[in-house]
Amino acid sequence: MTTRPISSYRIPLFCAVTMLFWMSMYTSVPIMAPYVEFLGGSHQLAGWIVGMYGISQMLLRIPVGIMSDRFHKRRLFITFGLLFTAITGLGLWFTHDFTWILILRALAGAAAATWVDFTVLFTSYYKHEESTKAIGTISFFNSLGQVLGILSAGWAADKLGWESVFILGAILGLLGMIGSFFLIEKVEKDAPKITMRGIGNVATDRTLLFVSLLAILSQVLIFATVFGFTPVYAMQLGADKFSLSLLSLFANVPVALASLFGGRRWAMKYGEKRMVVAGFLLMGIFTFTVPFTHHLWLLMITQAFAGFGRGLSFTLLMGMSIKHMPADKRATAMGFFQAIYGLGMFVGPVLMGIIGDYFSLNEGFIVLGVLGAGSALLAYLFVQSSAKKKPLGTNKPTIAQ
């Protein structure tokens, strides 16, 4: 197979498959908490169901990353991820039983665990030193898919009812799975398979562990608010189903823009550290202000600024987690990173649900706002603006950033 035909379509096709994957996933993610409460569930139950999406990712992403580096079959994992999103959509359409909904949200988390392979395979299409640029690009299509999924789901829920959203997600997942059959698997010639020693080196890497800690805090904020209880708060302000999709739209379009420009341009111009700190500050400030917002349009504006902060910080943290790693350890490193931040996806909504039931959602938003400001302080104190470390397992000098 020649190089030119591969180069002509591999990146556009990969971006399209990525977009379909996240469209399928995010037809249901933003509406899950209000849907559970619509069926008669409590704040705590909604929190557990939303959080199950994160706990299954936390358990599966490290094994997925290790197996991916061991067998170099990243495309296969991507195909299975899209299959799982289709099955999840069909299952949610079929059942109203809370136990089955909990199980299906865990399956959706298993699908999301394959994001390890999306990011690592796409990054392999770029030069080693262009990891942040690659992550910025794929994160843009991640966010674009979320936005389009949210919009289409809002329209379907408003016109056809809650269950139509889940069928839509199943169809999008099936289309993406078909597209995944044509992705190009790129494996470096004589690429070594990861060893137990290599896994240990990855698991104890200080840069990886610290950016993963910051990613946990970021996911706590995200999944407790825009993908958790901000839609519930919006319903208290009188939002209908379509307004909920607009709220998610306002929260996610800025994520896409910040992911694209933050990872590709602003980090190089202003430094990764400043962008990460600014991102956490925006998330903290505009989460803290939610309880003092009494009009739906003002709530949408706060979520737009918080979303922009999320796009700035999280995209850079993801790029920083692997850019100092050699190729044979990147999927494992990304698996560790994504598994660790999966803890935040679980803790955030569960914590918010408990606070909401025992106190009120207002107190929960205030606590999360303070957490965002504290995360910005941690990033300011410990994040280095550019990584000048040698990749693990090599003595060759890195290319200057």
Side-chain angles (χ1 to χ4, degrees):
M1 185 178 291
T2 61
T3 301
R4 188 167 60 183
I6 295 175
S7 299
S8 65
Y9 77 87
R10 62 177 178 176
I11 290 179
L13 174 63
F14 201 105
C15 292
V17 170
T18 299
M19 189 169 65
L20 286 168
F21 177 73
W22 289 108
M23 283 180 70
S24 174
M25 193 78 69
Y26 274 72
T27 52
S28 60
V29 168
I31 68 166
M32 191 51 59
Y35 177 65
V36 169
E37 296 195 10
F38 167 77
L39 294 178
S42 66
H43 287 328
Q44 279 195 63
L45 179 60
W48 277 97
I49 287 175
V50 172
M52 187 55 65
Y53 173 77
I55 199 71
S56 61
Q57 291 183 56
M58 184 178 68
L59 295 174
L60 291 173
R61 274 176 163 164
I62 292 175
V64 167
I66 292 172
M67 287 190 292
S68 178
D69 275 337
R70 182 69 179 168
F71 300 109
H72 303 298
K73 300 292 184 182
R74 313 201 197 283
R75 186 177 66 179
L76 179 64
F77 285 99
I78 291 171
T79 299
F80 272 108
L82 284 151
L83 174 63
F84 290 164
T85 65
I87 293 172
T88 299
L90 283 174
L92 289 171
W93 169 74
F94 184 76
T95 185
H96 287 167
D97 181 79
F98 288 131
T99 301
W100 276 107
I101 292 174
L102 193 71
I103 293 169
L104 289 164
R105 291 309 297 155
L107 183 62
T114 64
W115 181 233
V116 172
D117 292 277
F118 279 85
T119 52
V120 174
L121 181 56
F122 188 76
T123 304
S124 73
Y125 296 164
Y126 289 76
K127 295 178 182 178
H128 196 90
E129 67 272 17
E130 293 182 324
S131 296
T132 303
K133 177 181 177 181
I135 292 294
T137 302
I138 199 66
S139 293
F140 170 76
F141 285 95
N142 169 331
S143 299
L144 182 61
Q146 292 177 14
V147 168
L148 293 176
I150 289 164
L151 273 180
S152 56
W155 176 86
D158 196 47
K159 299 294 183 182
L160 305 172
W162 292 107
E163 287 77 9
S164 64
V165 170
F166 306 129
I167 285 292
L168 176 62
I171 293 170
L172 291 168
L174 183 61
L175 290 174
M177 186 179 71
I178 293 170
S180 73
F181 295 146
F182 302 96
L183 294 177
I184 302 299
E185 186 80 76
K186 185 176 183 294
V187 181
E188 293 185 8
K189 188 178 181 180
D190 301 322
K193 295 181 178 180
I194 194 162
T195 63
M196 290 302 298
R197 182 178 180 180
I199 294 169
N201 288 339
V202 170
T204 56
D205 182 69
R206 293 179 64 183
T207 298
L208 174 61
L209 291 174
F210 183 71
V211 298
S212 298
L213 170 63
L214 288 176
I216 290 175
L217 299 173
S218 175
Q219 294 300 310
V220 167
L221 290 165
I222 295 166
F223 274 79
T225 56
V226 66
F227 297 141
F229 290 93
T230 303
V232 175
Y233 184 82
M235 291 180 72
Q236 295 175 2
L237 298 180
D240 56 18
K241 294 170 186 173
F242 186 70
S243 296
L244 292 181
S245 71
L246 286 179
L247 175 67
S248 295
L249 177 68
F250 270 74
N252 283 279
V253 168
V255 176
L257 296 175
S259 298
L260 184 64
F261 294 107
R264 294 172 64 94
R265 298 181 183 179
W266 296 339
M268 295 178 63
K269 184 175 181 180
Y270 301 110
E272 292 169 343
K273 177 176 181 175
R274 290 181 180 177
M275 293 297 97
V276 172
V277 171
F280 274 113
L281 278 176
L282 286 171
M283 283 193 289
I285 291 169
F286 289 100
T287 299
F288 187 90
T289 58
V290 167
F292 309 103
T293 304
H294 304 298
H295 298 282
L296 190 57
W297 65 271
L298 280 175
L299 180 64
M300 291 181 182
I301 292 174
T302 66
Q303 295 309 287
F305 281 106
F308 193 82
R310 172 161 56 104
L312 280 181
S313 59
F314 194 74
T315 299
L316 292 173
L317 291 173
M318 186 180 293
M320 291 161 66
S321 72
I322 64 168
K323 77 175 187 179
H324 64 294
M325 294 284 179
D328 61 302
K329 295 183 177 70
R330 284 191 161 198
T332 300
M334 185 60 75
F336 270 87
F337 174 75
Q338 294 186 4
I340 292 170
Y341 79 60
L343 179 63
M345 294 180 178
F346 173 71
V347 170
V350 171
L351 175 65
M352 191 67 165
I354 293 171
I355 294 173
D357 274 348
Y358 285 94
F359 300 96
S360 73
L361 292 182
N362 288 354
E363 279 80 0
F365 286 118
I366 291 171
V367 169
L368 291 170
V370 173
L371 178 63
S375 302
L377 179 60
L378 280 177
Y380 177 78
L381 292 174
F382 296 109
V383 168
Q384 295 181 356
S385 188
S386 61
K388 297 183 179 179
K389 296 175 60 177
K390 295 178 182 179
L392 291 178
T394 181
N395 294 320
K396 295 179 181 179
T398 58
I399 296 174
Q401 301 298 308

